């Protein structure tokens, strides 16, 4: 893929953010959603805040929500381990909605030995935090998933997570069949 | 200078239409008694006070945003200094009350009591206007300047240990849910927006 090529999933992802009125994106870039980070960083309509630790992002999202705006945090699924405590506190103590998007490192067929632990811990942590999560694997699912994620979070006063895999990442984390 | 002295020095500088986040602990009771309005989100997370203020600052660039930090909270997540140093929100002022101890749990030292200098860390991370002050007069003068200089500020107030003995009935009585709604409704009125509708939409 050349540097000028925008994958369909990434184009739809950023269009979905705009249609959902998301003005702030906090992210720790990684490889599986690489084009999303690149597009967000280059888009003047999105305030893209790059962090050095996923633990910064729940606060940024909470502050944005309390300002009456919408924020999305994006990371690899390993990041849920780093931001577990602030997510837990902001949810359980303050009942704050929050929308997180994460790439599914360690998806079925993962060929990298170091990626499997991310999958092994992702769902148990999300479930321990009582965070509803949905898998997004096809491009036509992206926009409705983003839109509903914000509705669900706002309606429940609680975080939600979208997990991107399949045809909604740079290339699948698993080996070619 | 104890924390209550520092708070009393800067409290008159916070207007009702400024928005504030605070660290946990005795800070809550002090500021509960001094705040001018429900303009404060009493952030119940060590390490997320400044990041919450950053979210407010980038979303409401026309408003002055203040984070009342503590050394324990800053040390929990010093990475936020790098994010601040990159973003440099011009409407954000961070004031760290640094007493060098975890006072609310009995007083074991934090690492600022050893060799850590938070203002120098912030400066090294790219933050602007990073200073340390040690007396109420200088604190008030520098804080006032940072609020209105059109640049971010990172002010560390080195304070002596000691909690103001608030009477039980004067201590902050609200929990985290009520804190959220008080602040959220206050922002709604201030900004003329609806953040969380009070009733189902259909």
């Amino acid at each position: 893929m050349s540097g000028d090529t925008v994958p369909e999933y990434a184009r739809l992802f950023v269009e979905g953010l705009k249609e959902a009125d998301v003005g702030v994106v906090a992210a720790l870039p990684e490889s599986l959603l690489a084009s999303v980070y690149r597009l967000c960083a280059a888009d003047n309509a999105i305030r893209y805040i790059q962090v050095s630790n996923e633990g910064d992002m729940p606060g940024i999202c909470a502050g944005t929500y309390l300002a009456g705006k919408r924020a999305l945090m994006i990371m690899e699924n390993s990041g849920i381990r780093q931001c577990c405590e602030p997510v837990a506190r902001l949810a359980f103590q303050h009942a704050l909605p929050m929308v997180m998007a994460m790439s599914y490192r360690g998806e079925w067929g993962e060929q990298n030995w170091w990626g499997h632990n991310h999958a092994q811990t992702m769902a148990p942590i999300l479930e321990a935090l009582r965070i509803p999560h949905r898998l997004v694997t096809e491009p036509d699912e992206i926009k409705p998933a983003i839109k509903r994620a914000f509705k669900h979070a706002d309606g429940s006063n609680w975080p939600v997570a979208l997990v991107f895999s399949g045809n909604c990442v740079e290339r699948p984390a698993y080996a070619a069949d | 200078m104890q924390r209550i002295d520092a708070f009393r020095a800067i409290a008159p500088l916070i207007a009702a239409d400024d928005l504030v986040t605070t660290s946990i602990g005795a800070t809550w009771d002090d500021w509960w008694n001094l705040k001018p309005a429900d303009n404060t989100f009493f952030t119940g997370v060590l390490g997320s006070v400044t990041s919450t203020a950053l979210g407010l600052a980038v979303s409401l660039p026309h408003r002055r945003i203040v984070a009342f930090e503590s050394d324990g909270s800053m040390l929990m997540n010093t990475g936020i200094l790098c994010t601040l140093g990159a973003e440099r929100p011009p409407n954000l002022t961070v004031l760290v009350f640094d007493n060098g101890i975890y006072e609310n749990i009995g007083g074991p030292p934090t690492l600022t009591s050893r060799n850590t200098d938070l203002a120098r860390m912030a400066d090294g991370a790219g933050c602007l206007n990073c200073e340390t002050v040690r007396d109420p007069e200088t604190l008030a003068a520098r804080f006032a300047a940072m609020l209105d200089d059109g640049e971010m500020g990172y002010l560390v107030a080195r304070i002596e240990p000691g909690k103001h003995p608030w009477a039980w009935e004067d201590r902050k009585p609200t929990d985290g849910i009520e804190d959220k709604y008080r602040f959220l409704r206050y922002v709604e009125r201030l900004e003329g927006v609806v953040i969380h509708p009070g009733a189902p939409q259909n």
Side-chain angles (χ1 to χ4, degrees), chain B residues 46-169:
Chain B
L46 284 182
S48 291
V49 178
T50 293
S51 54
T52 303
L54 174 59
L56 288 166
V58 300
S59 301
L60 300 172
H62 54 286
R63 203 161 289 291
R64 299 194 308 187
I65 309 296
V66 174
F68 288 143
E69 273 283 10
S70 60
D71 47 327
S73 177
M74 284 306 312
L75 292 167
M76 182 73 76
N77 180 16
T78 51
I80 189 62
L81 293 173
C82 304
T83 308
L84 274 191
E87 298 298 324
R88 295 178 172 174
N91 57 332
L92 175 62
T93 303
V94 179
L95 171 56
V96 187
F97 297 99
D98 180 3
N99 60 7
I101 60 172
Y102 294 103
E103 189 163 42
N104 229 40
I105 58 161
T110 69
L111 293 180
T112 63
S113 72
R114 301 282 291 275
N115 303 318
T116 298
D117 183 322
L118 289 171
R120 289 178 64 191
M121 288 183 72
D123 185 65
C127 295
L128 302 174
N129 304 304
C130 308
E131 299 178 31
T132 299
V133 296
R134 299 171 189 279
D135 65 83
E137 295 76 22
T138 311
L139 166 61
R142 296 307 304 137
F143 186 68
M146 288 184 186
L147 283 176
D148 287 324
D149 63 0
E151 290 186 335
M152 71 155 294
Y154 189 89
L155 188 57
V156 178
R158 285 304 301 233
I159 57 175
E160 301 298 321
K163 292 199 285 189
H164 185 76
W166 295 106
W168 177 259
E169 61 270 21

Side-chain angles (χ1 to χ4, degrees), chain A residues 24 47-53 55-69 85-86 89-97 154-155 157, chain B residues 24 28 41-45 47-48 51-52 54-56 58-60 77 79-80 82-83 87 89 175-177 179-181 183-184 187 191 193 195-196:
Chain A
V24 174
R47 179 64 182 258
Y48 178 77
I49 301 176
Q50 183 174 323
V51 301
S52 55
N53 181 318
D56 288 350
M57 298 197 285
I60 293 170
C61 291
T64 303
Y65 170 77
L66 290 168
K69 306 290 172 61
E85 168 70 354
R89 295 252 188 174
L90 291 166
F92 286 87
Q93 292 192 2
H94 295 297
L96 281 165
D154 288 347
N157 286 313
Chain B
I24 64 174
W28 279 0
F41 182 61
F42 291 86
T43 318
V45 197
S48 291
S51 54
T52 303
L54 174 59
L56 288 166
V58 300
S59 301
L60 300 172
N77 180 16
I80 189 62
C82 304
T83 308
E87 298 298 324
D175 65 15
I177 305 291
D179 288 340
K180 178 191 79 166
Y181 278 112
F183 183 73
L184 184 154
V187 175
E191 295 292 329
V193 298
I195 299 172
H196 184 68

Side-chain angles (χ1 to χ4, degrees), chain A residues 106-120:
Chain A
E107 171 68 298
W108 188 247
E110 170 72 56
Q111 57 189 337
N112 296 299
W113 63 268
W114 46 264
H116 289 272
N117 65 90
H118 304 348
Q120 287 165 326

Side-chain angles (χ1 to χ4, degrees), chain A residues 15-39:
Chain A
E15 285 179 11
L17 294 183
K18 293 181 179 180
E19 290 174 16
D21 206 21
V22 176
V24 174
V25 168
L28 206 166
E30 42 77 42
S31 58
L32 289 175
L33 296 171
S35 297
V36 172
Y37 306 113
R38 180 168 56 83
L39 290 177

